[in-house]
Amino acid sequence: GAVVSQHPSWVICKSGTSVKIECRSLDFQATTMFWYRQFPKQSLMLMATSNEGSKATYEQGVEKDKFLINHASLTLSTLTVTSAHPEDSSFYICSATGTSGSSYEQYFGPGTRLTVT
Amino acid sequence: QQPVQSPQAVILREGEDAVINCSSSKALYSVHWYRQKHGEAPVFLMILLKGGEQKGHEKISASFNEKKQQSSLYLTASQLSYSGTYFCGTDYSGGGADGLTFGKGTHLIIQP
């Protein structure tokens, strides 16, 4: 149980375009979803926290107008990178907590690798 | 507030033991351990909660010293598949409402 999926797994886009990444909890209801970013050879950095039906909370230094997060249902959160630039190229990973198992454990998705050319 | 992991990297031979440490400057509610292989998402290994509740793998164990705000991950009789980067993620508030703050990682290489 407690499976989180992400789509797409890999995306290449041109500079200036927008990219949407989906994060789904497949077998539980995710009351809270988290978005992380990981640059090559670095650690995961929390970008934002989203709760179903409310506005996301962004970490310091993360532009909310650039990284739009929507958590419209208990099984789906989306991250849209608007006007993407090469420096946004990174590995984006979501995680979720919710009705599955312990409320303390975060279930991670497989990640989405974004390359902006 | 990023937790500090040590060592940064370690190379072992198959069958040897490893200890990876995670230390926080702030009081911890829980510590989460993950292993990540190159190009893949982190895989959950272990969670240690304030007060002693613990979950995790069979061949991997961990300790959590609340007073010292430290956690250690123990890998015994290491296997080739243990190679990867180990991250500890710290939770300061509990309840699953906040994201984790990850350390910089410990690179573990297991050689035959």
Side-chain angles (χ1 to χ4, degrees):
Chain A
V3 178
V4 176
S5 71
Q6 280 185 242
H7 177 81
S9 55
W10 200 342
V11 57
I12 301 174
C13 70
K14 287 189 181 296
S15 186
T17 61
S18 296
V19 173
K20 180 187 281 189
I21 302 169
E22 292 185 351
C23 176
R24 291 182 187 272
S25 57
L26 299 185
D27 51 3
F28 68 103
Q29 293 185 326
T31 50
T32 305
M33 284 186 167
F34 306 94
W35 286 96
Y36 294 86
R37 178 169 56 183
Q38 185 179 34
F39 292 108
K41 298 186 180 180
Q42 294 188 23
S43 185
L44 290 84
M45 298 298 292
L46 179 66
M47 297 175 66
T49 301
S50 75
N51 294 291
E52 185 263 339
S54 60
K55 287 185 178 180
T57 304
Y58 291 81
E59 295 299 301
Q60 196 171 14
V62 178
E63 299 173 57
K64 62 180 181 181
D65 294 330
K66 181 171 181 61
F67 298 99
L68 302 178
I69 293 172
N70 185 285
H71 192 164
S73 77
L74 284 171
T75 59
L76 174 64
S77 176
T78 60
L79 168 69
T80 301
V81 183
T82 62
S83 186
H85 291 284
E87 57 265 30
D88 298 323
S89 298
S90 187
F91 193 42
Y92 291 86
I93 311 172
C94 71
S95 72
T97 59
T99 57
S100 179
S102 164
S103 61
Y104 309 111
E105 189 171 334
Q106 291 194 19
Y107 303 98
F108 278 80
T112 296
R113 192 164 300 281
L114 171 64
T115 302
V116 184
T117 61
Chain B
Q1 292 180 354
Q2 185 177 32
V4 176
Q5 287 186 235
S6 63
Q8 288 182 299
V10 60
I11 300 175
L12 298 174
R13 291 210 178 275
E14 198 173 5
E16 293 181 334
D17 299 341
V19 180
I20 299 171
N21 302 301
C22 176
S23 161
S24 171
S25 59
K26 196 176 165 183
L28 296 168
Y29 188 89
S30 63
V31 179
H32 306 228
W33 285 97
Y34 291 85
R35 176 174 58 218
Q36 186 178 32
K37 294 191 182 279
H38 183 68
E40 299 179 10
V43 172
F44 172 78
L45 295 176
M46 174 83 68
I47 182 172
L48 297 106
L49 303 174
K50 185 178 176 180
E53 185 185 343
Q54 177 175 316
K55 295 166 65 175
H57 271 214
E58 290 180 0
K59 298 182 180 180
I60 298 173
S61 62
S63 64
F64 182 18
N65 187 321
E66 294 170 37
K67 277 188 177 178
K68 291 186 178 180
Q69 297 164 185
Q70 293 176 347
S71 176
S72 295
L73 184 71
Y74 305 96
L75 308 170
T76 55
S78 56
Q79 304 170 12
L80 295 176
S81 61
Y82 287 6
S83 293
T85 303
Y86 289 77
F87 292 99
C88 68
T90 50
D91 174 16
Y92 300 107
S93 63
D98 294 332
L100 300 176
T101 304
F102 285 90
K104 292 187 176 181
T106 295
H107 302 284
L108 176 64
I109 298 173
I110 308 295
Q111 295 179 333

